[in-house]
């Protein structure tokens, strides 16, 4: 069974802090994703990566960056946290390269509050 | 053009009833339509998916109906149970790429015992 583990379930940070959200998957998946989930807005893609050290912007990349130094780990970085980044953050992984509709496997999310 | 419109936003159904969640899209290039189920405190998980070359797909008590001409697809849950209470998301993608998944806003479903 695929397991996607997000390092923190809840995080509270102050405005202006640098925040790291970590995600690890154990199934050797090529693709990894960071989504943001807000009520009434569905899931919005922040960044994705289809290979180590490769990254592409999603729909809402502003204020975020990512790092993928190892295949199993994908980190989301908030360079200077702001209150409008308070949200649920979901990491996902999937098998396959740039093509294919293999299922997304999600972690249980990190609820980030920026005060 | 890139939106997937999902309705209703929330739905309450008695046990045994048949909740129906609808999604509509504009972009005719979409060729893959998955539904994800999310329980409280968990991430979404793939429930069922359909391609536009079929009009219906069933997996257990879950059925997707697809109307290509109307650009609509819907999820039906037969004999619904309290354990089906969850948030359901429809999505669409094109070109065989799950990088391009466009998500509906989600429907919070409650099945009353």
């Amino acid at each position: 069974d695929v397991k996607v583990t997000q390092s923190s379930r809840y995080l509270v940070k102050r405005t202006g802090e640098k925040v790291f959200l970590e995600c690890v998957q154990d199934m050797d998946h090529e693709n990894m994703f960071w989504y943001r989930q807000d009520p009434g807005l569905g899931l919005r893609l922040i960044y994705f990566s289809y290979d180590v050290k490769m990254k592409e912007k999603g729909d809402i990349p502003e204020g975020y960056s990512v790092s993928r130094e190892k295949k199993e780990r994908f980190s989301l970085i908030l360079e200077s946290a702001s209150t409008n980044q308070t949200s649920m953050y979901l990491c996902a992984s999937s098998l396959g390269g740039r093509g294919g509709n293999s299922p997304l496997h999600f972690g249980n999310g990190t609820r980030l509050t920026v005060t | 053009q890139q939106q997937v419109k999902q309705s209703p936003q929330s739905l309450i159904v008695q046990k045994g009833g048949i909740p129906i969640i609808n999604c509509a899209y504009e972009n005719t290039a979409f060729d893959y339509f998955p539904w994800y189920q999310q329980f409280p405190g968990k991430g979404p998980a793939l429930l069922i998916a359909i391609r536009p070359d079929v009009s219906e797909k069933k997996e257990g008590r879950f059925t997707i109906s697809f109307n290509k001409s109307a650009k609509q697809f819907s999820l039906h849950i037969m004999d619904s149970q309290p354990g089906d209470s969850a948030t359901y998301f429809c999505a669409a993608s094109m070109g065989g790429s799950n990088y391009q998944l466009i998500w509906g806003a989600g429907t919070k479903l409650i099945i009353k015992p």
Side-chain angles (χ1 to χ4, degrees), chain A residues 21-65:
Chain A
L21 303 183
E22 306 287 345
C23 175
V24 177
Q25 51 96 1
D26 66 357
M27 282 302 291
D28 203 34
H29 283 174
E30 285 83 2
N31 303 329
M32 294 190 75
F33 307 79
W34 275 106
Y35 281 93
R36 174 175 169 161
Q37 181 176 8
D38 299 288
L41 296 178
L43 278 69
R44 294 181 291 168
L45 182 63
I46 304 172
Y47 269 96
F48 64 92
S49 169
Y50 54 89
D51 202 352
V52 176
K53 296 191 185 294
M54 305 302 290
K55 60 185 179 185
E56 289 198 22
K57 294 179 180 179
D59 300 318
I60 52 165
E62 295 79 18
Y64 304 94
S65 62

Side-chain angles (χ1 to χ4, degrees), chain B residues 79 98 108:
Chain B
D79 187 27
N98 61 12
K108 185 172 182 179

Side-chain angles (χ1 to χ4, degrees), chain B residues 84-107:
Chain B
D84 297 328
S85 298
T87 299
Y88 292 81
F89 292 96
C90 63
S93 70
M94 59 185 152
S97 171
N98 61 12
Y99 309 131
Q100 305 294 335
L101 266 180
I102 308 298
W103 295 82
T107 296

Side-chain angles (χ1 to χ4, degrees), chain B residues 69-89:
Chain B
S69 60
K71 292 184 283 187
Q72 295 176 349
F73 58 109
S74 59
L75 177 70
H76 302 232
I77 306 175
M78 307 301 290
D79 187 27
S80 58
Q81 301 296 315
D84 297 328
S85 298
T87 299
Y88 292 81
F89 292 96

Side-chain angles (χ1 to χ4, degrees), chain A residues 10-115:
Chain A
Y10 298 96
L11 271 180
V12 180
K13 296 292 181 180
R14 293 194 180 274
T15 301
E17 277 193 80
K18 190 169 186 176
V19 181
F20 293 86
L21 303 183
E22 306 287 345
C23 175
V24 177
Q25 51 96 1
D26 66 357
M27 282 302 291
D28 203 34
H29 283 174
E30 285 83 2
N31 303 329
M32 294 190 75
F33 307 79
W34 275 106
Y35 281 93
R36 174 175 169 161
Q37 181 176 8
D38 299 288
L41 296 178
L43 278 69
R44 294 181 291 168
L45 182 63
I46 304 172
Y47 269 96
F48 64 92
S49 169
Y50 54 89
D51 202 352
V52 176
K53 296 191 185 294
M54 305 302 290
K55 60 185 179 185
E56 289 198 22
K57 294 179 180 179
D59 300 318
I60 52 165
E62 295 79 18
Y64 304 94
S65 62
V66 291
S67 172
R68 194 169 181 198
E69 296 295 320
K70 294 185 177 182
K71 190 175 186 179
E72 67 271 17
R73 187 179 297 270
F74 193 35
S75 303
L76 179 70
I77 303 153
L78 286 66
E79 296 290 341
S80 178
S82 63
T83 55
N84 63 12
Q85 293 178 311
T86 291
S87 186
M88 172 68 80
Y89 290 88
L90 290 165
C91 175
S93 72
S94 72
L95 189 63
R98 291 191 64 84
N101 285 311
S102 53
L104 295 178
H105 298 266
F106 284 88
N108 288 334
T110 295
R111 182 163 295 281
L112 173 67
T113 302
V114 182
T115 62

Side-chain angles (χ1 to χ4, degrees), chain B residues 10 19 23 27-28 31 54 58 61 69 71-72 85:
Chain B
S10 62
C23 288
N27 191 339
T28 55
D31 59 4
V54 297
K58 289 184 181 180
R61 295 182 294 105
S69 60
K71 292 184 283 187
Q72 295 176 349
S85 298

